[in-house]
Amino acid sequence: MIKFLAAFYRLCLSLRYRVTLHNAEILRTDAPLLILPSHQALADPQILFTQIFRYRTASPVMTELYYNLLVFRHVFRVLDAVPVPVINSAQHNRNQLKALSRNITNALREGHSVVLYPSGRSEEHTSELQSPDHLVC
C-alpha cells in the first residue's frame, strides 16, 4: 500500500518537478542505509522519499511536531518514523540525544534504512532575520 501511495505521490510531484536519480544501485542493496541529505527544504524530503520507495523503505527521523499531526500520524507510524522532541538551546537534553542516537543505531542494526535531515528551518523568502539589528539577504 505504501509503495502504491508513494508512486501516486511521485506522479503528482512530477507535474511540478523534474527529478533525475543518479546511482540508484545504492538504493537497490539489501544493506541498511543511513541517508543524510545536506540541506533543509520544503519539497526535497517529499521528493526524496518517493524516489527511495521505488527501491526500499526508509524510516524518517522527524520532529514530534510533525509526527503528531493528526492528518499524517498514521502514515508516519506505518513508515516507522522516529519522533524527536523539539530541542532548543534552552532545553538541550543530552539524554534525549543519546536516546535518539540509540534508536537510530538499533533501527540500522535491525536492517531498516534511516533518513536524517539536518535541523533548522526552511524559509520561504529571500531574507532571514538573524537578530533584531542584523538582516541577512
Side-chain angles (χ1 to χ4, degrees):
M1 178 71 169
I2 290 293
K3 288 200 179 231
F4 171 76
L5 291 174
F8 176 74
Y9 195 48
R10 186 171 52 251
L11 176 67
C12 293
L13 289 170
S14 73
L15 299 173
R16 172 69 173 93
Y17 302 100
R18 185 179 344 176
V19 176
T20 304
L21 187 62
H22 297 278
N23 301 317
E25 64 275 0
I26 294 169
L27 296 173
R28 290 186 184 112
T29 66
D30 291 332
L33 301 173
L34 178 59
I35 301 168
L36 301 168
S38 61
H39 69 283
Q40 281 291 318
L42 296 173
D44 289 8
Q46 299 167 59
I47 294 169
L48 177 67
F49 272 95
T50 62
Q51 294 298 319
I52 290 172
F53 274 44
R54 293 170 68 183
Y55 306 98
R56 62 170 52 233
T57 59
S59 300
V61 176
M62 63 177 52
T63 177
E64 60 188 14
L65 292 175
Y66 291 115
Y67 183 84
N68 290 323
L69 286 174
L70 185 61
V71 177
F72 298 112
R73 188 180 312 157
H74 178 71
V75 173
F76 294 145
R77 286 186 181 145
V78 169
L79 292 175
D80 290 325
V82 179
V84 178
V86 176
I87 301 172
N88 62 33
S89 58
Q91 299 175 314
H92 187 76
N93 185 331
R94 280 197 168 155
N95 292 332
Q96 290 176 324
L97 294 175
K98 286 179 182 180
L100 173 62
S101 176
R102 205 170 29 253
N103 290 343
I104 292 171
T105 302
N106 290 340
L108 291 168
R109 284 187 181 141
E110 292 172 5
H112 298 282
S113 292
V114 176
V115 179
L116 179 61
Y117 259 86
S119 65
R121 66 177 186 216
S122 297
E123 296 294 328
E124 294 181 359
H125 48 80
T126 58
S127 62
E128 181 176 343
L129 186 62
Q130 294 211 336
S131 69
D133 58 347
H134 184 68
L135 184 65
V136 177
C137 297

